[in-house]
Amino acid sequence: MNRTTIDLWVGIFVTMGIAALVFLALKVGNLNGAQLADPYPLTAKFDNIGGLKARAPIKSAGVVVGRIDSIKLDPENFQAVVAMHIDSRYSFPRDTYATINTSGLLGEQYIGLEPGGDTDVLKPGEVLKKTQSAVVLEKLISQFMFSKAAETAPAAAPEPSK
Amino acid sequence: MPMHYSGLAMLDGTVSAFRNIGTRVINAVWRLGYAARFFVSIMAASGTGFRRFNLILREIYFSGVLSLIIILVSGLFVGMVLGLQGYDTLQRYGSEEALGVLVALSLVRELGPVVAGLLFASRAGSAITAEIGLMKATEQLDAMDMMAVNPIARVIAPRFWGAAISLPLLVAMFSTMGVYGGFLIGAVHIGVDAGAFWGQMQTAIDFQRDILNGVVKSVVFGFAIALISVFEGYDSDATAEGVSRATTRTVVTSSLAILGLDFILTSFMFRG
């Protein structure tokens, strides 16, 4: 069996196809990006997680250090239990603060870790105790409106007595 | 008396219309069953087909390599149009940096598999059907059978696998060209920041959810187009008119199959 030009063309074709797939995987997707090195688990409980979703990033000082595995509701005290994996290169103090932030005005939500000053670090499987819920825009607006109403109410009340 | 006759004639017309519908439905179901059996016999004959790999290589050349130009050029233009249209919409919200995400996401998830599949069905699928149909019309398939050469293993299976292997590779190239076209228009021509273009794209696009699902779609479409093309050719009437009808049917059926399958696959993949 001899080599033919068709073989060459098919070889070029298949190589181009595989190169395109690799391009899609590496350059368009993030296959090489946020690979976690030997991650360890942590959990955190929030009163309200807003629009947080599984696989959302965990960031500390803006750097991605982990990902969310799952989000469940604790049937005992009705808190959201967020299970996450953190890159083992990073360890955080025990009094680390976990907050739910939004990237940009309309971006996706992520968990931000703000390290405290404790000398002990969080061990695998431990629970982050200090958390801050997601900011719910409706609550914020209603709070603002009620406080405005409370400000104007005493001013309006004395008027009839005058 | 004339009324009676005309009433009977009307009844006769209605009956034949119903009969016509019935024949069409039965025929469609019959062909579907025949196609399923045909698919099984292709699979059964594929063992011998793969042992003579140069046959498949030849078919990859005819359906894949020769479709390269149309796929690459259309991918580039689709990406450039996405870049222009996407920029026009995104800049109203002041988020033109998300252009990369828009271009790549729409290409990798939907436009790549669907548009490349439609192009492939009309460029390569129709050629396969016409070739097999003509072989049948000129009794070449019967002649092979006479010589104890199984035409399904010798003619059908290589063409089926050639098309089924080619499409996923073509779709990947289409999406790549599209992303590059969007980059050319968005970053080079309009002046969106190139770093933001690639960076936002990489954070927003998930390998498993977006790219692998796109590859799964292209594989499914490849099998569907390949089966429809070889089946329509094999099942065509052995006349010039029959071959032309079968070729038309290949393009119509493949296009509808791609769009229908795309809806079903999307509803499974992106439900949550």
Side-chain angles (χ1 to χ4, degrees), chain B residues 219-262:
Chain B
V219 171
V220 172
F221 294 169
F223 270 69
I225 296 170
L227 178 63
I228 290 168
S229 309
V230 292
F231 177 71
E232 289 291 358
Y234 194 76
D235 192 45
S236 64
D237 291 335
T239 58
E241 199 197 351
V243 174
S244 93
R245 221 181 306 132
T247 313
T248 312
R249 240 183 353 227
T250 292
V251 177
V252 173
T253 318
S254 313
S255 308
L256 290 178
I258 288 169
L259 296 170
L261 281 171
D262 184 52

Coordinates of all heavy atoms in Angstrom, one line a residue, chain B residues 219-262:
Chain B
V219 N -21.2 15.6 17.4 CA -21.2 14.2 17.2 C -22.5 13.6 16.8 O -22.7 12.9 15.9 CB -20.6 13.5 18.4 CG1 -20.7 12.0 18.3 CG2 -19.1 13.8 18.6
V220 N -23.6 14.0 17.6 CA -24.9 13.6 17.3 C -25.4 14.0 15.9 O -25.9 13.2 15.2 CB -25.9 14.1 18.4 CG1 -27.3 13.8 18.1 CG2 -25.6 13.5 19.8
F221 N -25.1 15.3 15.6 CA -25.5 15.8 14.3 C -24.8 15.0 13.2 O -25.3 14.7 12.1 CB -25.2 17.3 14.1 CG -26.0 18.1 15.0 CD1 -25.7 19.5 15.2 CD2 -27.1 17.6 15.7 CE1 -26.4 20.3 16.0 CE2 -27.8 18.4 16.6 CZ -27.5 19.8 16.7
G222 N -23.5 14.7 13.4 CA -22.7 14.0 12.4 C -23.3 12.6 12.2 O -23.5 12.2 11.0
F223 N -23.7 11.9 13.2 CA -24.3 10.6 13.0 C -25.7 10.7 12.3 O -26.0 10.0 11.4 CB -24.6 9.9 14.4 CG -23.4 9.0 14.8 CD1 -22.2 9.6 15.2 CD2 -23.6 7.7 14.8 CE1 -21.2 8.8 15.6 CE2 -22.5 6.9 15.2 CZ -21.3 7.5 15.6
A224 N -26.5 11.8 12.7 CA -27.8 11.9 12.0 C -27.6 12.2 10.6 O -28.3 11.6 9.7 CB -28.5 13.1 12.7
I225 N -26.7 13.2 10.2 CA -26.6 13.5 8.8 C -26.0 12.3 8.0 O -26.5 12.0 6.9 CB -25.6 14.7 8.6 CG1 -26.2 16.0 9.3 CG2 -25.3 15.0 7.2 CD1 -25.2 17.1 9.4
A226 N -25.1 11.6 8.6 CA -24.5 10.5 7.9 C -25.5 9.4 7.6 O -25.6 8.9 6.5 CB -23.3 9.9 8.7
L227 N -26.3 9.1 8.6 CA -27.3 8.1 8.4 C -28.4 8.5 7.4 O -28.7 7.7 6.5 CB -28.0 7.8 9.8 CG -29.1 6.7 9.7 CD1 -28.5 5.4 9.2 CD2 -29.9 6.5 11.0
I228 N -28.9 9.7 7.5 CA -29.9 10.2 6.6 C -29.3 10.2 5.1 O -30.0 9.7 4.2 CB -30.4 11.6 6.9 CG1 -31.2 11.6 8.2 CG2 -31.2 12.2 5.8 CD1 -31.5 12.9 8.9
S229 N -28.1 10.6 5.0 CA -27.5 10.7 3.6 C -27.4 9.3 3.0 O -27.8 9.1 1.8 CB -26.1 11.4 3.6 OG -26.2 12.6 4.3
V230 N -26.8 8.4 3.7 CA -26.6 7.1 3.1 C -27.9 6.4 2.9 O -28.1 5.7 1.9 CB -25.6 6.2 3.9 CG1 -24.2 6.7 3.8 CG2 -26.0 6.0 5.3
F231 N -28.9 6.6 3.9 CA -30.1 5.9 3.8 C -30.9 6.4 2.6 O -31.5 5.6 1.8 CB -30.9 6.0 5.0 CG -32.3 5.4 5.0 CD1 -32.4 4.0 4.9 CD2 -33.4 6.1 4.9 CE1 -33.7 3.4 4.8 CE2 -34.7 5.6 4.8 CZ -34.8 4.2 4.7
E232 N -31.0 7.7 2.4 CA -31.8 8.3 1.3 C -31.2 7.8 0.0 O -31.9 7.5 -1.0 CB -31.8 9.8 1.3 CG -32.6 10.4 2.5 CD -34.1 10.2 2.3 OE1 -34.5 9.6 1.3 OE2 -34.9 10.6 3.2
G233 N -29.8 7.7 -0.1 CA -29.2 7.2 -1.3 C -29.6 5.7 -1.6 O -29.9 5.3 -2.7
Y234 N -29.5 4.9 -0.5 CA -29.7 3.5 -0.7 C -31.2 3.2 -1.0 O -31.5 2.2 -1.6 CB -29.3 2.8 0.7 CG -29.2 1.3 0.6 CD1 -28.1 0.8 -0.1 CD2 -30.1 0.5 1.1 CE1 -27.9 -0.6 -0.1 CE2 -30.0 -0.9 1.0 CZ -28.9 -1.4 0.4 OH -28.7 -2.8 0.3
D235 N -32.1 4.0 -0.4 CA -33.5 3.8 -0.6 C -34.1 4.5 -1.8 O -35.3 4.5 -2.0 CB -34.2 4.2 0.7 CG -35.6 3.7 0.8 OD1 -35.9 2.6 0.5 OD2 -36.5 4.5 1.1
S236 N -33.3 5.2 -2.6 CA -33.8 6.0 -3.6 C -34.4 5.1 -4.7 O -34.0 4.0 -4.9 CB -32.8 6.9 -4.2 OG -31.8 6.1 -4.8
D237 N -35.3 5.7 -5.5 CA -35.8 5.0 -6.7 C -34.7 4.9 -7.7 O -33.9 5.9 -7.9 CB -37.0 5.7 -7.3 CG -38.2 5.6 -6.4 OD1 -38.3 4.6 -5.7 OD2 -39.1 6.5 -6.5
A238 N -34.5 3.8 -8.4 CA -33.4 3.7 -9.3 C -33.6 4.4 -10.6 O -33.4 3.8 -11.7 CB -33.1 2.2 -9.5
T239 N -33.9 5.6 -10.6 CA -34.1 6.4 -11.8 C -33.4 7.8 -11.6 O -33.1 8.1 -10.5 CB -35.6 6.7 -12.1 OG1 -36.1 7.4 -11.0 CG2 -36.3 5.4 -12.4
A240 N -33.2 8.5 -12.7 CA -32.6 9.8 -12.6 C -33.5 10.7 -11.7 O -33.0 11.4 -10.8 CB -32.5 10.5 -13.9
E241 N -34.8 10.6 -11.9 CA -35.7 11.4 -11.1 C -35.7 11.0 -9.6 O -35.6 11.9 -8.7 CB -37.1 11.2 -11.6 CG -38.1 12.3 -11.2 CD -39.5 11.9 -11.4 OE1 -39.8 10.8 -12.0 OE2 -40.4 12.6 -10.9
G242 N -35.6 9.7 -9.4 CA -35.5 9.2 -8.0 C -34.3 9.7 -7.3 O -34.3 10.1 -6.1
V243 N -33.1 9.7 -8.0 CA -31.9 10.2 -7.4 C -32.0 11.7 -7.0 O -31.6 12.1 -5.9 CB -30.7 10.0 -8.3 CG1 -29.4 10.6 -7.7 CG2 -30.5 8.5 -8.5
S244 N -32.6 12.5 -7.9 CA -32.7 13.9 -7.6 C -33.7 14.1 -6.5 O -33.4 15.0 -5.6 CB -33.2 14.7 -8.9 OG -34.6 14.8 -8.9
R245 N -34.8 13.3 -6.4 CA -35.7 13.5 -5.3 C -35.0 13.1 -3.9 O -35.2 13.7 -2.9 CB -36.9 12.6 -5.5 CG -38.2 13.3 -5.1 CD -39.4 12.5 -5.3 NE -39.6 12.0 -6.6 CZ -39.9 10.7 -6.9 NH1 -40.0 9.8 -5.9 NH2 -40.0 10.3 -8.1
A246 N -34.2 12.0 -4.0 CA -33.5 11.6 -2.8 C -32.5 12.6 -2.3 O -32.4 12.9 -1.1 CB -32.8 10.2 -3.1
T247 N -31.8 13.3 -3.2 CA -30.9 14.3 -2.8 C -31.6 15.5 -2.1 O -31.1 15.9 -1.1 CB -30.1 14.8 -4.1 OG1 -29.7 13.7 -4.9 CG2 -28.9 15.6 -3.7
T248 N -32.7 15.9 -2.7 CA -33.5 17.0 -2.1 C -33.9 16.5 -0.7 O -33.8 17.3 0.2 CB -34.7 17.3 -3.0 OG1 -34.3 17.4 -4.3 CG2 -35.4 18.5 -2.5
R249 N -34.4 15.3 -0.6 CA -34.9 14.8 0.7 C -33.8 14.8 1.7 O -34.0 15.1 2.9 CB -35.6 13.4 0.5 CG -37.0 13.5 0.9 CD -37.7 12.2 0.8 NE -37.0 11.1 0.3 CZ -37.5 10.3 -0.6 NH1 -38.7 10.5 -1.1 NH2 -36.8 9.2 -1.1
T250 N -32.6 14.4 1.3 CA -31.5 14.4 2.2 C -31.3 15.8 2.9 O -31.2 15.9 4.1 CB -30.2 14.0 1.5 OG1 -30.3 12.7 1.1 CG2 -29.0 14.2 2.4
V251 N -31.3 16.8 2.0 CA -31.0 18.2 2.6 C -32.1 18.6 3.5 O -31.9 19.1 4.6 CB -30.8 19.2 1.4 CG1 -30.6 20.6 1.9 CG2 -29.6 18.8 0.6
V252 N -33.4 18.3 3.0 CA -34.5 18.8 3.8 C -34.6 18.0 5.2 O -34.7 18.6 6.2 CB -35.9 18.6 3.1 CG1 -37.1 18.9 3.9 CG2 -35.9 19.5 1.8
T253 N -34.5 16.7 5.1 CA -34.6 15.9 6.3 C -33.5 16.1 7.2 O -33.7 16.3 8.5 CB -34.6 14.3 6.0 OG1 -35.5 14.2 4.8 CG2 -35.2 13.5 7.1
S254 N -32.2 16.3 6.7 CA -31.1 16.5 7.6 C -31.2 17.8 8.3 O -31.0 17.9 9.5 CB -29.8 16.5 6.9 OG -29.7 15.4 6.0
S255 N -31.7 18.9 7.6 CA -31.8 20.2 8.2 C -32.8 20.1 9.3 O -32.6 20.6 10.4 CB -32.2 21.2 7.1 OG -31.3 21.2 6.0
L256 N -34.0 19.5 9.0 CA -35.0 19.4 10.0 C -34.5 18.6 11.2 O -34.7 19.0 12.4 CB -36.3 18.8 9.5 CG -37.0 19.7 8.5 CD1 -38.3 19.0 7.9 CD2 -37.5 21.0 9.2
A257 N -33.8 17.5 10.9 CA -33.3 16.7 12.0 C -32.3 17.4 12.9 O -32.3 17.3 14.1 CB -32.6 15.4 11.4
I258 N -31.4 18.2 12.2 CA -30.5 19.0 13.0 C -31.2 20.0 14.0 O -30.9 20.0 15.2 CB -29.5 19.8 12.1 CG1 -28.6 18.8 11.4 CG2 -28.7 20.8 12.8 CD1 -27.8 19.5 10.3
L259 N -32.2 20.7 13.4 CA -32.8 21.7 14.2 C -33.6 21.0 15.3 O -33.6 21.5 16.5 CB -33.7 22.6 13.4 CG -32.9 23.4 12.4 CD1 -33.8 24.1 11.4 CD2 -32.0 24.4 13.1
G260 N -34.3 19.9 15.0 CA -35.1 19.2 16.0 C -34.2 18.7 17.1 O -34.5 18.8 18.3
L261 N -33.2 18.0 16.7 CA -32.2 17.4 17.7 C -31.6 18.4 18.5 O -31.4 18.2 19.7 CB -31.1 16.6 16.9 CG -31.5 15.2 16.4 CD1 -30.4 14.6 15.6 CD2 -31.8 14.2 17.6
D262 N -31.3 19.6 17.9 CA -30.7 20.7 18.6 C -31.6 21.1 19.8 O -31.1 21.3 20.9 CB -30.3 21.8 17.7 CG -29.6 22.9 18.4 OD1 -28.6 22.6 19.1 OD2 -30.0 24.1 18.4

